[in-house]
Amino acid sequence: MNILLFVLLGVFIFMMFRRNKKAREQQTKLQSQFAPGVDVMTSFGLFGRIVSMDDAENKVVLELSPGNLATVHRQAVTKVIEAPEAAAVEVPDDASSLGEQAQAGPVVDSAETPEESIKRLNGEDKKDN
């Protein structure tokens, strides 16, 4: 029984060291991606762009918004934000698409008076009830 207890304790210690080694490798990989101009997120939820780094003091200067800087510890930066690729939207260089949009919209009788519009809209409300 004692042998089984020592074996379980040994497995537990082995798994603990293994998990710490993986976390250290992941942190090293993340910090190797740090460079000025990279968008990042801190552990407390601030998003910003790296302006400068001080390796001697483990400090990173982030630009949170134009002209707004924050200095954080290097380990507080936990995620590198990849810029999403913008979907290409094809915009025609002529007015051909305007005719399609005008036909797709609702047809409104321009000769309708304001009183007729109120009656029509009130009638539509009664249909819903």
Side-chain angles (χ1 to χ4, degrees), residues 88-115:
V89 177
E90 186 176 326
V91 178
D93 58 350
D94 60 355
S96 63
S97 64
L98 295 177
E100 297 169 7
Q101 291 176 353
Q103 292 175 357
V107 177
V108 178
D109 185 15
S110 62
E112 190 175 69
T113 65
E115 292 79 20

Side-chain angles (χ1 to χ4, degrees), residues 65-81:
S65 63
N68 191 4
L69 301 177
T71 304
V72 297
H73 193 273
R74 188 176 181 137
Q75 289 180 342
V77 180
T78 57
K79 188 174 183 182
V80 174
I81 306 297

